[in-house]
Amino acid sequence: MNDPAGANNDPAGTSDPAGAGPGRHVRVVLVDDHRMFRTGVQAEIGQTERTGVEVVGEAADVDQAVTVITATRPEVVLLDVHLPGGGGVEVLRRCAPLMADAEQPVRFLALSVSDAAEDVIGVIRGGARGYVTKTITGTDLVDSVFRVQDGDAVFSPRLAGFVLDAFASTDAPPVDEDLDRLTQREREVLRLIARGYAYKEIAKQLFISVKTVESHVSAVLRKLQLSNRHELTRWATARRLV
């Protein structure tokens, strides 16, 4: 597992995050399907007296996330991109009214191991205020949380470039409406099917059951109006998703 909190960079836990000035406080929900990772982040940034961050809830999948976020109304949600139940994009879609609340907006900061352009663009398009990878140090993560609370956009340095390219370039590729119909998990299954993986291999790689894989494949075929996995492979290859 990546070091979520940068403990090696601050073994004594003594450095003060730049964003956590005197009296600053932010309420945060952690959304990640790996319990050990949530525990590590909580231990590093959730020391409220030192960091100003109060972790008010945790969730491991989309349904839990929406329930916890709605109940606690945090200022910032640290959101993983790949989650059971539809991924971070689905959480953003279902929490859109909370993000749009003028008086008490809930803001999202993606925190993921993935640095794939499509993952970054997907959650930013969905309404997240930034995207940082799990190699970030604890101090920088706390600073990022406070910046997002203030309404700033925050990105890991390498990711900012292609976000700007995608949204500001005149020759940026158009939105693929067919692809946007798919949830994040359906896209993962689609990509693995197109690469020739068997259902059992996909289930093992994504930590889901074979029956769930079959359900995702059926949903993808239905949404894309395709008949079988061979057509699906051609469709994915034509869009350079393989």
Side-chain angles (χ1 to χ4, degrees):
M1 183 177 73
N2 287 320
D3 177 12
N8 293 332
N9 296 285
D10 183 23
T14 55
S15 64
D16 292 322
R24 295 220 58 183
H25 181 264
V26 59
R27 299 169 69 253
V28 171
V29 164
L30 304 178
V31 180
D32 193 288
D33 60 343
H34 293 95
R35 181 181 59 81
M36 290 183 64
F37 179 78
R38 297 198 310 272
T39 300
V41 174
Q42 161 82 308
E44 178 68 17
I45 75 170
Q47 303 173 36
T48 309
E49 291 185 1
R50 180 174 68 87
T51 64
V53 175
E54 179 187 4
V55 177
V56 297
E58 299 182 15
D61 59 35
V62 169
D63 288 340
Q64 287 180 13
V66 174
T67 298
V68 171
I69 293 166
T70 302
T72 60
R73 296 297 293 267
E75 281 90 21
V76 177
V77 177
L78 288 176
L79 179 68
D80 193 14
V81 174
H82 300 146
L83 294 167
V89 172
E90 180 65 11
V91 175
L92 292 164
R93 186 187 69 79
R94 291 168 60 178
C95 289
L98 301 180
M99 288 189 283
D101 188 322
E103 295 185 0
Q104 190 183 352
V106 176
R107 296 188 168 104
F108 288 78
L109 173 62
L111 174 63
S112 177
V113 69
S114 170
D115 60 0
E118 64 187 66
D119 287 336
V120 180
I121 300 305
V123 294
I124 298 305
R125 186 182 291 158
R129 295 293 305 174
Y131 195 116
V132 294
T133 60
K134 289 181 178 179
T135 56
I136 192 171
T137 66
T139 298
D140 286 344
L141 181 57
V142 171
D143 182 54
S144 297
V145 166
F146 277 103
R147 288 174 60 192
V148 168
Q149 181 193 30
D150 290 338
D152 292 343
V154 180
F155 296 94
S156 293
R158 196 182 77 80
L159 307 184
F162 58 71
V163 171
L164 290 174
D165 289 343
F167 285 94
S169 175
T170 56
D171 59 355
V175 174
D176 190 325
E177 294 183 358
D178 288 333
L179 189 60
D180 277 357
R181 293 192 184 100
L182 306 182
T183 67
Q184 184 63 42
R185 181 62 86 187
E186 287 168 353
R187 295 185 194 191
E188 293 171 350
V189 172
L190 162 66
R191 192 173 292 107
L192 293 173
I193 284 287
R195 290 174 180 171
Y197 283 72
Y199 285 4
K200 287 184 179 180
E201 294 172 323
I202 296 172
K204 183 177 181 180
Q205 182 158 335
L206 299 181
F207 302 100
I208 57 179
S209 69
V210 173
K211 185 175 181 181
T212 301
V213 174
E214 293 172 349
S215 296
H216 285 314
V217 172
S218 295
V220 170
L221 292 174
R222 184 181 68 254
K223 290 180 180 181
L224 300 180
Q225 298 182 343
L226 301 174
S227 300
N228 52 56
R229 66 180 296 164
H230 300 295
E231 291 185 2
L232 187 152
T233 299
R234 288 197 296 270
W235 187 93
T237 302
R239 286 162 173 77
R240 298 181 180 178
L241 300 176
V242 181

